[in-house]
Structures are given as structure tokens and as C-alpha cells.
Amino acid sequence: NPTESTVAVETLDDVPEHVLRGLPEDVRLFPSAVDKTRLGVWATKSILKGKKFGPFVGDKKKRSQV
């Protein structure tokens, strides 16, 4: 149907390899609960408060920017 727009959906193929390698064992990328066209970060079990993982690659944002 020509009136329908095609929305690109983010897939694991769109994620840089270094990001996938940097994910902790108990964290996975699945479709976002907020935006179904994007991937979201999901925990497969509880993550303790203060747990750190990385390395972080990218620009840090203030809480008000996310």
C-alpha cells in the first residue's frame, strides 16, 4: 500500500560488535518496551545496586537528557 510508511526496525545486526562484547553475562538486547523499532537493554536476572560494567563507549548524558 503506497500510503503506508516503512519504519526501520533496529536489529542486532545494527549493533557494533564491541557493544555486544561489552554486555555483561546477564544482560541482553531485545526490542524496547518504550519504542518497538529500537532495541532495549534487558536484564535476565536482578542486578545489584551499584554494579558496574563496561567499558562505556559514547557520550555521557545528564539524567534529564535521557
Side-chain angles (χ1 to χ4, degrees), residues 3-66:
T3 61
E4 291 181 23
S5 63
T6 304
V7 177
V9 176
E10 188 175 35
T11 68
L12 288 177
D13 291 335
D14 300 317
V15 179
E17 184 61 33
H18 71 276
V19 172
L20 297 175
R21 283 195 312 267
L23 289 175
E25 183 177 313
D26 299 320
V27 173
R28 302 285 183 268
L29 297 179
F30 291 119
S32 170
V34 176
D35 180 348
K36 298 296 184 193
T37 66
R38 303 292 310 268
L39 293 174
V41 179
W42 295 83
T44 59
K45 67 179 191 179
S46 294
I47 299 174
L48 297 175
K49 183 177 180 177
K51 175 78 173 173
K52 294 184 180 185
F53 52 90
F56 175 79
V57 177
D59 298 323
K60 291 188 178 184
K61 303 286 183 185
K62 294 178 182 177
R63 184 177 296 264
S64 62
Q65 294 176 298
V66 292

